[in-house]
Amino acid sequence: MKVDVLLGLQWGDEGKGKVVDVLTPQYDVISRFQGGPNAGHTLEFNNIKHVLHTIPSGIFRENKINIIGNGVVIDPIVFQKEIESLKKLGFDISQNLYISKKAHMILPTHRLLDAASEQKKGDSKIGSTLKGIGPTYKDKIGREGLRVGDILSDFETKYKTRIDNHKLLLKDFFQFDYEKILTECEVDWFRGIELLKTFKIVDTEHMINKLLQEGKTMLAEGAQGTLLDIDFGSYPFVTSSNTICAGACTGLGVAPNKIGKVLGIFKAYCTRVGMGPFPTELLDETGDALRKAGHEYGSTTGRPRRCGWLDLVALKYSVMLNGVTELIMMKADVLDQFETIKVCVGYETDGTVTEEFPFELNDSVKPVYVELPGWKTDLTKIKSQNEFPEELNNYISFIEDEMGIPVSIASVGPNREQTIFLDKE
Ligand code: GDP
Ligand code: IMO
Ligand code: MG
């Protein structure tokens, strides 16, 4: 069997959690392959609204295997909180969650280093989630990281060496006052380690390949989005992992020829949290209307999300990088109120229009729009494609024609039920 991959095509928060939860019944195994608690994946069903950070979004379905792959970075403090809040909802996941020995750990000092680094950058800060993501991946690539498998032996010495280095950095380089906060965090962190030890910590790359050989079906769940990819995103305003499809290979130990369908998910408009370029951003009342209708506030940090029109130049770039085979369009209902809807089909710089995502997206890049008629219909109660207003069908067809691939799902609300599978016959 092959691994299907579902990943974000924009700047994150496309609705990955919701769709993974909806698709999970079709799969035996759900796995996360990169990112960490910078992710906030929201699921809504049976009057439950829940946000997952590190744990795969398949966890609410019975008899599924969930895997946290080697490419993920884990913060034991956040992990413990996630487990506790799942328990409160009545879900004990200790038997169906597997964690890679090779996943790197976010140390308490990584979080402090993230804060210190952002503070030092001042106005040019990334707007990180302050979860310690950048410093943890930096240590991984610098070959100084601590992995989940390390907690099984001689852990204290390894921990102390890392922490001592970080303390020097915090004190001497960043002049960051860390002592009190570190002491407090360490207590929770070590409590989290004890909890982690009670989970199944395994060589997930072997497990995954064995499961595939046995004929099990698998969905890999991306975090963040393609435009936040460390190599191809709007660098340096990106996250620190490969969010693209190739990240599923390195983040799970799956060979490229074992990748099956690539499900690319996007909002019917566009949002971004944190700093960095965003050509179609609307800093006016239309942007405010999108934020209000879409409840666009960060699932992890609560920050207001920047909002704008759908950007097909960026989307085409994402489709290319990921080899997307099917598109999933989210939050169509958020556009219900608009008389007309704009879609960016080109970037203009000094009178020249391009359809290619450029090396640098600076302020001189202006979006070229086409304007499509809105549907002015409440989509949230719709149960099948037959009920779609003509304007919505046209909006979807326009995107399909531009991208050259089909839209297979349209989402019309945050709930599991508000998901329409499109018939392509
Ligand atoms: P993720 O990080 O990609 O999983 O996305 P987030 O959970 O951060 O953000 C998506 C937000 O939109 C969440 O609050 C979802 O509950 C919500 N959502 C998902 N799909 C839809 C939809 O079709 N319509 C509306 N109105 N909200 C949606
Ligand atoms: P999900 O999985 C949206 C953004 C941050 C910041 C940049 C770097 O929920 O879609 P980091 O903490 O990773 O060093 O921050 O990336 N960012 C996200 N934006 N959704 C996410 O995850 C994000 N994870 C990181 O806002 O701009
Ligand atoms: Mg999110």
Side-chain angles (χ1 to χ4, degrees):
M1 294 302 287
K2 297 196 170 188
V3 182
D4 292 345
V5 183
L6 182 143
L7 42 75
L9 300 180
Q10 295 164 323
W11 278 287
D13 301 329
E14 296 90 349
K16 297 175 290 291
K18 170 186 160 161
V19 174
V20 170
D21 171 62
V22 167
L23 296 180
T24 297
Q26 300 177 21
Y27 293 92
D28 300 309
V29 186
I30 309 295
S31 53
R32 272 276 307 267
F33 58 89
Q34 46 69 232
N38 48 350
H41 294 183
T42 315
L43 291 76
E44 281 193 44
F45 57 93
N46 306 342
N47 297 321
I48 292 177
K49 178 174 174 173
H50 194 77
V51 182
L52 292 165
H53 299 288
T54 325
I55 295 168
S57 300
I59 210 73
F60 289 104
R61 305 284 193 170
E62 272 175 40
N63 301 324
K64 303 292 173 186
I65 296 173
N66 286 270
I67 297 177
I68 299 178
N70 57 281
V72 176
V73 290
I74 301 179
D75 182 338
I77 300 177
V78 181
F79 181 76
Q80 174 153 32
K81 282 195 188 132
E82 285 194 77
I83 297 296
E84 279 166 5
S85 68
L86 284 168
K87 265 202 186 132
K88 269 193 206 136
L89 291 174
F91 292 88
D92 175 7
I93 61 168
S94 55
Q95 290 316 302
N96 46 9
L97 182 67
Y98 294 78
I99 302 169
S100 170
K101 281 185 186 168
K102 297 187 178 68
H104 278 245
M105 285 200 295
I106 301 177
L107 308 186
T109 38
H110 282 135
R111 261 159 75 165
L112 297 172
L113 285 165
D114 200 356
S117 155
E118 287 283 80
Q119 198 179 74
K120 194 173 164 77
K121 284 194 174 105
D123 286 346
S124 57
K125 69 175 181 184
I126 306 297
S128 97
T129 58
L130 299 178
K131 301 292 175 194
I133 303 298
T136 306
Y137 278 114
K138 212 173 188 174
D139 274 353
K140 171 179 175 174
I141 302 303
R143 298 166 294 186
E144 292 184 348
L146 199 58
R147 302 184 291 175
V148 172
D150 290 323
I151 66 179
L152 305 174
S153 68
D154 191 24
F155 174 56
E156 301 282 330
T157 328
K158 289 178 194 158
Y159 175 81
K160 195 171 176 323
T161 317
R162 265 66 166 197
I163 287 280
D164 285 349
N165 287 342
H166 291 164
K167 281 181 181 169
L168 282 179
L169 258 178
L170 284 165
K171 189 158 146 273
D172 297 343
F173 182 69
F174 288 113
Q175 282 96 44
F176 194 83
D177 188 11
Y178 66 86
E179 303 225 357
K180 185 164 172 286
I181 180 159
L182 178 59
T183 315
E184 283 169 16
C185 281
E186 272 186 324
V187 175
D188 291 340
W189 197 84
F190 278 103
R191 219 177 271 143
I193 292 292
E194 288 312 308
L195 178 73
L196 256 182
K197 280 184 190 164
T198 66
F199 277 77
K200 294 170 178 161
I201 298 173
V202 300
D203 290 306
T204 47
E205 65 278 27
H206 288 298
M207 178 181 172
I208 287 169
N209 282 288
K210 228 176 262 168
L211 287 166
L212 289 175
Q213 237 166 22
E214 287 166 8
K216 296 280 190 286
T217 51
M218 197 175 300
L219 180 66
E221 171 182 5
Q224 290 78 58
T226 301
L227 304 175
L228 288 170
D229 181 90
I230 183 71
D231 282 281
F232 298 104
S234 46
Y235 194 89
F237 302 100
V238 292
T239 191
S240 297
S241 62
N242 279 118
T243 59
I244 57 168
C245 185
C249 295
T250 54
L252 294 175
V254 168
N257 63 357
K258 293 272 164 48
I259 299 293
K261 289 195 276 190
V262 182
L263 313 174
I265 182 166
F266 69 101
K267 276 177 192 166
Y269 51 101
C270 208
T271 65
R272 166 162 213 175
V273 242
M275 314 303 280
F278 181 1
T280 62
E281 181 171 20
L282 295 165
L283 297 165
D284 55 10
E285 62 277 13
T286 311
D288 293 342
L290 284 170
R291 185 173 310 105
K292 190 157 175 254
H295 305 289
E296 294 296 355
Y297 295 87
S299 317
T300 298
T301 58
R303 292 179 290 177
R305 294 176 182 148
R306 301 157 64 192
C307 298
W309 296 120
L310 181 61
D311 182 344
L312 292 188
V313 177
L315 200 68
K316 212 175 265 176
Y317 181 62
S318 298
V319 165
M320 174 188 84
L321 292 170
N322 292 301
V324 174
T325 56
E326 285 171 36
L327 291 163
I328 298 175
M329 187 174 90
M330 306 300 287
K331 302 187 89 159
D333 55 298
V334 173
L335 300 179
D336 284 356
Q337 61 183 306
F338 291 96
E339 211 59 63
T340 59
I341 300 164
K342 287 189 187 172
V343 178
C344 167
V345 291
Y347 291 161
E348 185 188 324
T349 317
D350 304 327
T352 311
V353 177
T354 175
E355 287 179 22
E356 245 177 47
F357 198 77
F359 171 70
E360 199 166 27
L361 263 182
N362 53 36
D363 288 344
S364 67
V365 174
K366 302 284 175 240
V368 178
Y369 288 115
V370 294
E371 200 157 353
L372 303 171
W375 40 89
K376 301 280 284 175
T377 310
D378 176 7
L379 298 181
T380 57
K381 311 265 178 327
I382 281 182
K383 296 279 174 236
S384 85
Q385 196 184 357
N386 301 335
E387 300 166 57
F388 276 10
E390 191 190 341
E391 293 85 354
L392 174 59
N393 279 325
N394 289 342
Y395 191 69
I396 292 174
S397 300
F398 183 81
I399 295 167
E400 291 180 324
D401 289 347
E402 290 282 316
M403 296 300 118
I405 39 172
V407 175
S408 60
I409 293 175
S411 175
V412 293
N415 204 279
R416 258 184 200 169
E417 317 299 324
Q418 293 168 305
T419 314
I420 317 289
F421 288 81
L422 306 188
D423 186 2
K424 287 293 151 197
E425 292 314 306

